[in-house]
Amino acid sequence: DYAMCTPSLAIDLVIESGADKLIFVRRGDSGKHATMGGFVDVGELPADAVARELREETALELAGPPQLLGVFGDPRRDPRRHTVSAVYVARTTGTPHPGTDAKAVVVVPVAELAGLDFAFDHRAIVDEYLVWRRRPRGVGASDVEPFRGGAPVRRDACT
């Protein structure tokens, strides 16, 4: 029998709040800060997954279409399995409330990002966002792979 073994597809969202604040979730499993995100369902568009995961994890709604920040796919970025994430940036509406996966939803001034403990490669995502936000709006997504941690990964099977 043939079984296709490919990385899992996820989305992450850098949520802008006001001129100089970002919204993160505090993970229920580790307590670490994370961009809001989750896996794309079969048959679902990544941008639709952004809206669904945003509602599920924070009770927020998109204020407009999300903009693509970049694609993060280093096999070391998630210790659970090889996961490729389409990372978006957006503004939202509503009052945030943590969903089932999140311990809390927190608003953090950009000036205070340096001291946060991030899950997975989310520090690299935030660093890429900080470069992106200095560009004129409408400039295309970055295709850099800014993950900077871990030993090379060799996977010969789908586990």
Side-chain angles (χ1 to χ4, degrees):
D1 291 328
Y2 177 77
M4 185 180 289
C5 177
T6 62
S8 297
L9 178 60
I11 55 86
D12 281 283
L13 180 63
V14 177
I15 305 169
E16 296 178 312
S17 177
D20 273 336
K21 295 179 183 167
L22 299 177
I23 299 174
F24 297 100
V25 295
R26 297 257 336 253
R27 291 183 58 88
D29 57 358
S30 67
K32 293 184 176 188
H33 290 83
T35 58
M36 188 287 314
F39 292 98
V40 178
D41 290 338
V42 173
E44 184 178 40
L45 294 172
D48 292 341
V50 168
R52 176 182 54 77
E53 287 286 347
L54 181 64
R55 273 190 304 278
E56 289 175 5
E57 290 192 22
T58 67
L60 295 170
E61 296 289 336
L62 289 170
Q67 293 184 287
L68 184 65
L69 174 66
V71 176
F72 292 66
D74 190 300
R76 299 167 291 183
R77 69 180 299 271
D78 187 335
R80 300 170 296 182
R81 61 179 173 245
H82 185 179
T83 302
V84 175
S85 186
V87 180
Y88 294 86
V89 178
R91 293 189 174 274
T92 59
T93 62
T95 302
H97 299 285
T100 55
D101 293 346
K103 182 181 198 177
V105 179
V106 296
V107 180
V108 179
V110 169
E112 297 175 18
L113 293 173
L116 296 184
D117 186 18
F118 284 100
F120 309 117
D121 65 342
H122 294 199
R123 164 66 63 197
I125 289 172
V126 169
D127 289 347
E128 182 64 18
Y129 163 78
L130 294 174
V131 170
W132 177 87
R133 73 186 283 228
R134 290 191 299 265
R135 296 181 192 141
R137 293 294 166 132
V139 172
S142 173
D143 65 357
V144 300
E145 187 59 67
F147 183 69
R148 301 186 259 306
V153 173
R154 181 178 177 95
R155 290 192 172 100
D156 295 325
C158 292
T159 56

